[in-house]
Amino acid sequence: MWRSVLPLLVGVSLFLLQLPDYSSTQEALWQDYKHGLRGSEAHDKKHFCTWNCLLFTLQWPGAFCQSLDERKLCSIPQSINKWTIHGLWPVKVFHCCKCWPMFESDVQELDAELKEHWPSLLKDQPSFHFWRQEWEKHGVCAACVEGMNSPFRYFQICLKLRQQFDIQKLLEDAGVTPSCDRPFKLVEVQQVLAQHLGDKHEIQCVTDPKGREVWFQVKIPLSHNLTVGCDHHADGGPGWNSSHGHPCPPQAPLYYFPIDHQQPQRPCG
């Protein structure tokens, strides 16, 4: 019996030895990303880092629900009362490698800070799922920069940028505070922020059911070394228009709604 089985075992062993090493393949792909190479491009020695600009995007929870097609899905935790992070997005990137997964242990040390400054505002989306989505869609593309070449480093950089661009304090110091009744002019808000965010930042709005232009996001263009003022319009690409917001119209009144935790879908009726 053993004599008849032995050739079969030897054949199976030889077959297994010929299979590619999955872990080695994954590691090779990760290394390609760390060095700015992607898939077949790695073999051609072409650089993956074709983007020149990043967009650091902050969102205002008081208007977030207005940006959703299904507003009933929105939920703002009681602890959230300030501008939160939406993402850090390389511009002119059309797809990222799916080879670099993210696990909760990758950002465990940052968990408390991320929940405070980068929470999910959707009822059916845990915060970690939001972070993982942002990493897989945008973070992996940014990972060819040494300071962001891991989930931990990417999210750590985002938290540092959130601290650097404390736009809520800038606005409060200038008397720009949330209100249901007091509209602002776009130019006066831009003047408050321009000296800190550069003149290339974009203030985005959503239009509420009553036709009001409601302040939703701020997009801050950054270069590879995270300095302000990168010429993002020259890059174009889907990263710039990856949300429901639109540039606030210069002539229309701009509303900066307060946060309403009980009725986040209709903070001002």
Side-chain angles (χ1 to χ4, degrees), residues 10-219:
V10 171
V12 171
S13 299
L14 290 173
F15 173 74
L16 292 175
L17 287 173
Q18 292 171 2
L19 288 176
D21 185 339
Y22 178 77
S23 61
S24 297
T25 302
Q26 285 293 95
E27 179 62 26
L29 288 170
W30 295 358
Q31 291 300 324
D32 286 344
Y33 259 85
K34 291 180 182 180
H35 293 89
L37 303 172
R38 178 185 59 185
S40 61
E41 295 180 358
H43 300 291
D44 298 332
K45 305 300 182 183
K46 294 179 181 179
H47 289 286
F48 171 60
C49 283
T50 56
W51 53 269
N52 294 318
C53 299
L54 294 152
L55 291 171
F56 182 58
T57 305
L58 296 168
Q59 65 185 6
W60 177 240
F64 173 77
C65 298
Q66 309 294 318
S67 73
L68 300 177
D69 295 328
E70 293 288 337
R71 298 183 185 186
K72 62 183 180 181
L73 299 177
C74 186
S75 177
I76 305 175
Q78 290 291 328
S79 60
I80 303 302
N81 295 289
K82 296 182 179 180
W83 286 78
T84 61
I85 300 170
H86 189 169
L88 180 64
W89 310 329
V91 182
K92 200 178 179 181
V93 176
F94 294 90
H95 63 274
C96 293
C97 174
K98 299 298 184 182
C99 60
W100 199 331
M102 174 178 163
F103 305 99
E104 292 189 63
S105 57
D106 291 328
V107 292
Q108 186 173 3
E109 293 180 44
L110 304 173
D111 185 76
E113 286 184 86
L114 288 172
K115 285 180 178 176
E116 179 182 357
H117 299 299
W118 200 333
S120 171
L121 302 179
L122 297 176
K123 291 180 180 178
D124 60 350
Q125 183 187 57
S127 287
F128 174 74
H129 291 185
F130 181 25
W131 308 332
R132 183 174 59 190
Q133 174 182 295
E134 288 295 307
W135 166 254
E136 292 177 349
K137 187 175 180 181
H138 304 289
V140 175
C141 295
C144 53
V145 174
E146 184 176 353
M148 293 184 280
N149 64 352
S150 72
F152 179 85
R153 290 184 176 184
Y154 173 75
F155 287 99
Q156 187 179 50
I157 285 289
C158 290
L159 290 170
K160 288 181 178 179
L161 290 172
R162 167 63 179 78
Q163 185 177 17
Q164 177 181 344
F165 300 117
D166 188 355
I167 64 175
Q168 187 150 339
K169 185 177 187 307
L170 297 175
L171 294 168
E172 288 176 352
D173 290 347
V176 179
T177 56
S179 171
C180 288
D181 304 315
R182 178 192 172 190
F184 297 90
K185 294 180 180 179
L186 177 62
V187 64
E188 64 180 311
V189 175
Q190 289 174 325
Q191 288 174 349
V192 171
L193 298 180
Q195 58 181 322
H196 301 279
L197 310 185
D199 58 6
K200 298 183 185 299
H201 73 275
E202 182 174 297
I203 296 175
Q204 287 202 316
C205 286
V206 291
T207 306
D208 79 348
K210 294 186 177 182
R212 295 172 291 192
E213 293 296 333
V214 182
W215 191 4
F216 165 49
Q217 288 190 146
V218 176
K219 293 185 174 182

